[in-house]
Amino acid sequence: MTGTTRSSEGLEDRRKRLLFRCWHRGTREMDLILGRFADAEIASLSDAELTELEILLEVNDPDLYAAITGDKVLPADVTGALFARIKAYPIADRDV
């Protein structure tokens, strides 16, 4: 799998923008991690979680990737409950 499997049809503008940003990070690794999470969860995230995601997307790719892999610790204001869900989300293809 190399891209989104979810259509943005039916999503409000904020969710559409976040879905796009999750799939267009700048590094393929982060596209896959955040994009797959967003495909599965974007429609059900609360407003507070959407805000958390917006804050998380401001972190640069190398730092965010290092935090997800456990090589770096990000500030607590960035790594809330949503970050923990993203970090725990399976990133491997389910078909393989």
Side-chain angles (χ1 to χ4, degrees):
M1 178 166 154
T2 60
T4 186
T5 59
R6 188 197 197 296
S7 168
S8 63
E9 187 175 326
L11 293 177
E12 64 198 55
D13 288 343
R14 184 181 186 194
R15 292 175 197 275
K16 285 179 185 178
R17 277 191 305 274
L18 287 169
L19 180 62
F20 181 86
R21 287 182 66 197
C22 285
W23 274 109
H24 296 86
R25 291 290 301 167
T27 63
R28 193 65 187 143
E29 294 85 354
M30 290 310 304
D31 288 353
L32 292 171
I33 291 168
L34 293 175
R36 288 178 178 180
F37 177 82
D39 275 358
E41 303 292 332
I42 196 75
S44 63
L45 295 178
S46 69
D47 284 339
E49 290 170 326
L50 292 174
T51 299
E52 271 188 75
L53 183 56
E54 288 167 337
I55 292 167
L56 195 58
L57 291 175
E58 294 304 317
V59 176
N60 67 51
D61 279 357
D63 290 340
L64 187 54
Y65 185 77
I68 288 172
T69 60
D71 292 336
K72 183 174 186 153
V73 176
L74 294 176
D77 62 330
V78 176
T79 57
L82 185 68
F83 176 76
R85 283 177 54 197
I86 292 169
K87 191 173 177 177
Y89 192 79
I91 58 170
D93 285 334
R94 288 171 178 53
D95 301 347
V96 177

